[in-house]
Amino acid sequence: MKSKKLIALLCCASVMGTLVACGSSGSSANSGDSANSGSTSAETTAAASEETAAEEAAVDEETFNIDLATAYAADAPAGIALEKFVEDVAEKSGGTINISLFTDGTLGTASDNYSSVASGDLDMTMSGLEGLDLYAPEYTFLDSPFLIKSQDHLKALLESGIGEKLKERYEENGIVTLGWHQRDVRVLASNKEVTSPADVSGMKLRLPGMTVYVDTWSALNVSSTTVAMSELYTALQTGVAEACEGGYEQMTTLKLYEVQKYIAESDHVYEFVGLFINKDLYDSMSENQQQILNECAAEDLAYADEMSEEKRAEYKQACLDGGMTLAEIDKDAFRDALQDFYKSQFESKWTVTTYDEVMSYAE
């Protein structure tokens, strides 16, 4: 028995000696190649380490199957970016976060999606101004016509303490904000050329049912009417509404250039939307999974911003090619006409900040 063990030990020693010799020979013969490929090897090792770390982190994590709904079209910048978000999250989470995307209002209106995420009946949504009306009316100044002067002005506000407080307000209602997307800029279409506030006085303007929209345009003596988007073309054609407002995307996809002669580049609302997740769901995830959602949202929403800017130019040209004439509008005249209204709203409703503070971010 002892002799068998001795023979085994001798065999092992022999094999080890051979391996060491081979290793030494290889190192000596390939030392030049190793020096040249050191950088590539390091990069490969780092990439492999990251992949291994992600896989190891995913081993002990719960797997989440999530529904994400939006009213935006699948082929619009928001829809395209969300598809990328779904893919990125699945890859970076190692398959522990699987998202099913529902676009084009498949799971209800924007307001439906907001309330469902707040209650936990829906996991995630990308939606816009309706959330301010529902859960944060004191922040509706962010969508007040003619108040925000530019995309940079809006971005500065959202990245300031004001934006963080808005996120906190949503969290109080069960909604975590993963990020913002600057979706569109709203303009004014009509059969009457609009260049000054006097031109809209008495005009029958189709508006979405947002309180801040109705109140602000009413301060300009506009007579607002609510018409479903699917009925807007007919309403403008028959005179039920004389004018409408919205992004160039809306004007183009609905072919409103066939029933409206002028388009005033009023840029009266820099529309932003958010990517939201139910708070209880988010809190139940690991820190690693939360970080993945946040990082992918930041990257893919920036991608959506870039696409929106590019598409806006295309949609605008389509409107002009369709026969609309661009009206030279005096934006500052509208702001001046609304200044007393703005200040009264900050005193009575938008009390989380002041008119002067909001305007300071435009400088």
Side-chain angles (χ1 to χ4, degrees), residues 17-18 110 118 135 156 200 251 268 272 278 284 338:
T18 303
Y135 302 114
V200 299
M251 306 297 174
H268 55 274
F272 72 100
N278 173 263
S284 70
L338 287 166

Side-chain angles (χ1 to χ4, degrees), residues 151-163 182 361-362:
Q151 289 282 24
D152 288 341
H153 185 189
L154 175 63
K155 186 175 181 180
L157 283 167
L158 292 177
E159 292 179 352
S160 73
I162 291 172
Q182 295 184 326
Y361 285 98

Side-chain angles (χ1 to χ4, degrees), residues 64 66 68 82-99 124 178 275 285 289-297 300:
F64 294 90
I66 292 173
L68 165 57
L82 286 179
E83 185 63 42
K84 183 175 183 297
F85 173 75
V86 168
E87 295 171 357
D88 290 346
V89 168
E91 179 182 350
K92 293 183 180 181
S93 70
T96 66
I97 307 177
N98 305 299
I99 303 174
M124 294 182 69
L178 295 177
L275 181 58
M285 294 181 169
Q289 290 172 319
Q290 291 176 350
Q291 183 177 352
I292 288 169
L293 286 175
N294 292 330
E295 289 178 352
C296 289
D300 297 328

Side-chain angles (χ1 to χ4, degrees), residues 314-334:
E314 293 178 19
Y315 289 135
K316 175 181 177 179
Q317 190 58 51
C319 288
L320 298 178
D321 291 345
M324 298 182 89
T325 300
L326 199 62
E328 294 292 331
I329 188 169
D330 187 347
K331 301 175 191 176
D332 288 333
F334 279 83

Side-chain angles (χ1 to χ4, degrees), residues 22-71:
C22 290
S24 298
S25 174
S27 297
S28 175
N30 299 317
S31 59
D33 291 341
S34 296
N36 293 333
S37 62
S39 175
T40 302
S41 297
E43 291 174 1
T44 302
T45 302
S49 297
E50 285 183 15
E51 185 175 346
T52 301
E55 290 174 353
E56 289 176 351
V59 169
D60 298 326
E61 290 176 331
E62 182 181 348
T63 297
F64 294 90
N65 296 309
I66 292 173
D67 287 340
L68 165 57
T70 184

Side-chain angles (χ1 to χ4, degrees), residues 39-238:
S39 175
T40 302
S41 297
E43 291 174 1
T44 302
T45 302
S49 297
E50 285 183 15
E51 185 175 346
T52 301
E55 290 174 353
E56 289 176 351
V59 169
D60 298 326
E61 290 176 331
E62 182 181 348
T63 297
F64 294 90
N65 296 309
I66 292 173
D67 287 340
L68 165 57
T70 184
Y72 304 129
D75 59 354
I80 296 170
L82 286 179
E83 185 63 42
K84 183 175 183 297
F85 173 75
V86 168
E87 295 171 357
D88 290 346
V89 168
E91 179 182 350
K92 293 183 180 181
S93 70
T96 66
I97 307 177
N98 305 299
I99 303 174
S100 297
L101 176 61
F102 299 88
T103 59
D104 299 272
T106 307
L107 297 187
T109 65
S111 294
D112 292 337
N113 291 165
Y114 264 116
S115 57
S116 294
V117 169
S119 67
D121 292 332
L122 176 65
D123 302 313
M124 294 182 69
T125 188
M126 175 181 271
S127 298
L129 8 145
E130 294 83 0
L132 295 178
D133 238 19
L134 288 168
Y135 302 114
E138 66 271 37
Y139 287 91
T140 51
F141 63 86
L142 292 166
D143 276 317
S144 182
F146 295 103
L147 180 64
I148 308 302
K149 292 186 174 183
S150 66
Q151 289 282 24
D152 288 341
H153 185 189
L154 175 63
K155 186 175 181 180
L157 283 167
L158 292 177
E159 292 179 352
S160 73
I162 291 172
E164 291 307 309
K165 288 176 182 176
L166 173 57
K167 290 180 182 180
E168 291 173 8
R169 190 76 178 90
Y170 277 130
E171 283 203 34
E172 291 172 6
N173 288 279
I175 300 171
V176 171
T177 306
L178 295 177
W180 306 112
H181 161 42
Q182 295 184 326
R183 178 174 173 261
D184 213 342
V185 186
R186 301 179 83 88
V187 295
L188 180 68
S190 61
N191 281 323
K192 172 186 178 183
E193 186 175 12
V194 173
T195 61
S196 69
D199 296 324
V200 299
S201 181
M203 178 180 283
K204 290 188 293 182
L205 175 64
R206 183 270 174 188
L207 292 173
M210 305 298 297
T211 303
V212 68
Y213 280 20
V214 174
D215 290 350
T216 305
W217 284 102
S218 292
L220 293 169
N221 198 33
V222 166
S223 175
S224 62
T225 181
T226 301
V227 177
M229 192 65 71
S230 59
E231 300 171 3
L232 180 55
Y233 184 100
T234 302
L236 292 168
Q237 187 178 43
T238 59

